[in-house]
Amino acid sequence: MIEGIEGVSSFAGEIDYAFWVVNLICLFLFVVTIGAMFLFIYQYNEKKSKPEDTKNIKHNTPLEIAWTIIPTILMMVIFYIGLDALKIQRTMPADDKSIVVKVLGQKWSWSFEYSNGKKSSKLIVPINKDVKLLMETPINDVLHAFFVPAFRIKEDLVPGQVTRLWFNAQKEGTYDILCAEFCGTRHSYMRSSVVVVSSEKFQDFLYPKVEVVKTAEDIFSELGCIGCHSTDGSILVGPSFKDIYNKEVKVTTNGKTRTIIRDEKYLIKAINDPDADIVDGYFQGVMPPFKGSLTEKDMKTVINYFKGIKEEPKVNKISGKEVADINGCTGCHSIDGSVLVGPTFKGIYNRTTKINVNGSIKEIIADDEYLRAAIIDPAKHIVDGFSNIMPPFKDVLKDEEVEAIIQYLKE
Ligand code: HEC
Ligand code: HEC
Ligand SMILES: [Cu+2]
């Protein structure tokens, strides 16, 4: 079964109700008229009854009143039911009580932007929450229509205008988004999906948890180690943490004094169970045991600190593939070698390409600089055999996004 065929938006019931009322009325009228037709074909067949035998009926007032009044009432019923469903669909929820998503439909892709600036090539929404869509298409683009059959919603996108839709999804799942307005070569590929998820998952999507990279210093101050240990060599309540790794130290273990090397094992034990080995010159029972207080990762960070290994803080890299998907590049460029509206991205980096610059054909190598120009200002040189329909991304993409795409094209 097609997912969502039963209708998964809060107002799908009203729309389906209007649909069925209209259809059942049509079915009833169909049966009555076609049935009467067959009845008359049979009853007034020329062999059975001659035309001159049939009485000439001129007028029947009750019948005429009936077939005026009954259809009028039916029309009013249909109108009323339709208006009811339309009113629900066209009454937008308040901005502050709903999730507002900007929808960009362009030849031939969909992209979505949330109020915190997060972009996505799929529409991710939480269950049981009003979602309001503000839909746009670039001024030089054509008409598209945002259509989600499972939600029973459809609305045109018109260049230079912002059109609206809303819905409240009642069931988790993935539902098709289609373009319902013929918009050119790759119209049938202009698809995406709505993914309805729990509100927790939605929050995770909207605000991805940045893994907090704790440094050893953070851990030392968090757990209070720095109250007793210095990192600069000075002695407080306990020995300093400076330069202790793999150095010898005299400790007392079970009343016996011995000299050991401060290796990883010793250090972990000194933290988890400090009274096992007492460093010479210090007192037993002063340092509390920290067994269980440090996660495995924290312990590793601390041990690395003692070893003198500095951890590189992780930087969130932008994914070139994601930028390309969100900005609709893959609507016109394939990554598998097939030629769509534009040349394929497969093997594009450093390939020899014929380009048309002001009417003359030149052969060039697709290096970084060429690719950058091809993305931000595509009209400057057109790849031979293609037409100039790629929109310029000069003011759309940030520099680092262009670089991320180029990096992606290299791979
Ligand atoms: C209340 C004070 C106190 C706190 C808090 C404390 N320590 Fe200690 N620590 C000591 C003392 C005193 C010693 C030396 C006696 C011993 O070996 O138990 C010591 C010993 C150590 C040693 C062995 C040092 C060496 O020279 O061999 C390590 C490693 C250590 N502590 C790590 C930590 C870490 C990591 C923390 C925080 C998670 C911490 N300590 C918190 C007082 C403290
Ligand atoms: C509406 C369709 C369309 C979209 C959307 C589109 N392009 Fe293009 N692109 C084309 C066409 C057609 C050409 C060939 C004509 C030309 O050079 O302008 C082309 C050419 C290119 C070239 C040069 C190709 C070569 O073989 O030398 C690159 C690189 C490129 N596009 C990257 C992108 C990136 C990156 C995006 C998204 C940010 C994108 N395109 C979005 C249609 C599109
Ligand atoms: Cu379209």
Side-chain angles (χ1 to χ4, degrees):
M1 201 169 82
I2 302 160
E3 198 169 0
I5 196 165
E6 74 278 16
V8 292
S9 64
S10 54
F11 47 59
E14 270 89 5
I15 312 261
D16 288 355
Y17 178 66
F19 172 83
W20 283 114
V21 167
V22 173
N23 273 279
L24 287 175
I25 291 173
C26 290
L27 187 70
F28 170 74
L29 292 176
F30 177 82
V31 170
V32 169
T33 43
I34 302 297
M37 186 183 86
F38 280 115
L39 181 74
F40 294 155
I41 287 173
Y42 173 76
Q43 197 157 351
Y44 300 107
N45 190 306
E46 214 183 355
K47 285 184 205 124
K48 274 204 205 156
S49 78
K50 297 246 152 11
E52 48 272 32
D53 297 342
T54 310
K55 203 164 74 185
N56 189 12
I57 305 164
K58 273 203 185 124
H59 192 77
N60 188 323
T61 308
L63 203 58
E64 282 186 16
I65 288 175
W67 75 44
T68 308
I69 302 248
I70 293 172
T72 306
I73 292 172
L74 285 181
M75 292 309 291
M76 303 288 262
V77 169
I78 291 173
F79 174 73
Y80 178 77
I81 292 172
L83 185 69
D84 223 29
L86 187 73
K87 238 181 1 206
I88 302 169
Q89 251 195 339
R90 299 317 305 176
T91 310
M92 296 292 148
D95 275 1
D96 55 344
K97 291 204 181 65
S98 51
I99 289 163
V100 181
V101 186
K102 279 195 205 151
V103 177
L104 179 68
Q106 57 185 343
K107 278 187 276 175
W108 289 279
S109 66
W110 297 105
S111 57
F112 306 93
E113 187 180 341
Y114 294 81
S115 48
N116 69 344
K118 168 106 189 171
K119 287 184 179 173
S120 168
S121 57
K122 282 191 179 149
L123 178 57
I124 318 280
V125 295
I127 189 167
N128 292 330
K129 177 102 185 145
D130 291 349
V131 178
K132 190 166 157 184
L133 305 177
L134 303 179
M135 309 194 293
E136 276 183 274
T137 181
I139 194 84
N140 57 350
D141 212 294
V142 298
L143 291 179
H144 301 280
F146 184 88
F147 182 29
V148 184
F151 293 170
R152 314 289 193 257
I153 54 172
K154 177 156 75 176
E155 181 70 25
D156 277 9
L157 278 75
V158 184
Q161 240 175 286
V162 178
T163 49
R164 279 150 226 270
L165 266 182
W166 80 278
F167 61 84
N168 186 319
Q170 310 279 296
K171 200 177 138 211
E172 287 182 26
T174 303
Y175 310 104
D176 288 336
I177 296 173
L178 311 168
C179 177
E181 189 79 63
F182 180 63
C183 56
T185 329
R186 291 190 47 87
H187 160 70
S188 55
Y189 291 87
M190 190 169 166
R191 308 165 128 241
S192 179
S193 32
V194 195
V195 185
V196 180
V197 296
S198 65
S199 60
E200 295 81 47
K201 273 208 189 132
F202 178 70
Q203 287 305 320
D204 288 350
F205 157 77
L206 203 56
Y207 305 99
K209 284 195 193 70
V210 187
E211 222 187 307
V212 189
V213 187
K214 269 197 268 181
T215 63
E217 282 88 347
D218 294 339
I219 297 167
F220 292 155
S221 65
E222 216 171 82
L223 294 175
C225 320
I226 44 168
C228 301
H229 296 279
S230 81
T231 53
D232 63 0
S234 57
I235 287 161
L236 307 176
V237 183
S240 175
F241 284 159
K242 195 176 178 201
D243 284 338
I244 59 171
Y245 187 68
N246 264 352
K247 300 276 163 60
E248 279 186 358
V249 67
K250 255 197 202 155
V251 297
T252 309
T253 314
N254 295 328
K256 267 184 256 151
T257 306
R258 57 190 187 128
T259 302
I260 50 111
I261 299 268
R262 291 167 172 127
D263 57 7
E264 185 166 334
K265 216 169 127 200
Y266 163 79
L267 290 170
I268 293 175
K269 198 165 174 203
I271 295 167
N272 283 335
D273 183 13
D275 285 341
D277 310 297
I278 310 298
V279 181
D280 207 25
Y282 296 91
F283 294 103
Q284 185 178 358
V286 177
M287 173 167 164
F290 283 92
K291 199 172 171 67
S293 308
L294 288 91
T295 63
E296 212 167 296
K297 206 165 152 250
D298 288 351
M299 184 61 91
K300 205 165 164 231
T301 309
V302 168
I303 298 300
N304 278 344
Y305 170 86
F306 287 135
K307 288 182 181 172
I309 302 171
K310 275 245 168 351
E311 271 174 75
E312 290 292 319
K314 278 188 211 111
V315 209
N316 244 355
K317 259 182 58 189
I318 359 176
S319 143
K321 181 183 185 318
E322 215 169 278
V323 180
D325 280 344
I326 291 167
N327 289 286
C329 317
T330 38
C332 294
H333 298 280
S334 82
I335 52 168
D336 64 0
S338 57
V339 175
L340 308 178
V341 180
T344 181
F345 279 164
K346 191 178 177 188
I348 186 170
Y349 188 65
N350 270 349
R351 86 174 154 211
T352 316
T353 303
K354 282 200 188 118
I355 55 167
N356 187 331
V357 188
N358 302 326
S360 59
I361 305 285
K362 270 205 307 198
E363 214 167 71
I364 53 93
I365 301 273
D367 55 9
D368 288 61
E369 205 176 319
Y370 164 78
L371 291 175
R372 203 168 293 127
I375 296 169
I376 59 177
D377 187 12
K380 212 164 106 193
H381 34 54
I382 306 298
V383 180
D384 195 29
F386 293 92
S387 53
N388 177 22
I389 60 161
M390 173 166 160
F393 283 92
K394 196 171 170 32
D395 302 320
V396 179
L397 295 174
K398 296 194 208 92
D399 287 348
E400 61 261 33
E401 288 176 323
V402 175
E403 293 314 312
I405 293 178
I406 294 174
Q407 196 57 42
Y408 170 59
L409 295 179
K410 282 183 192 175
E411 293 153 14

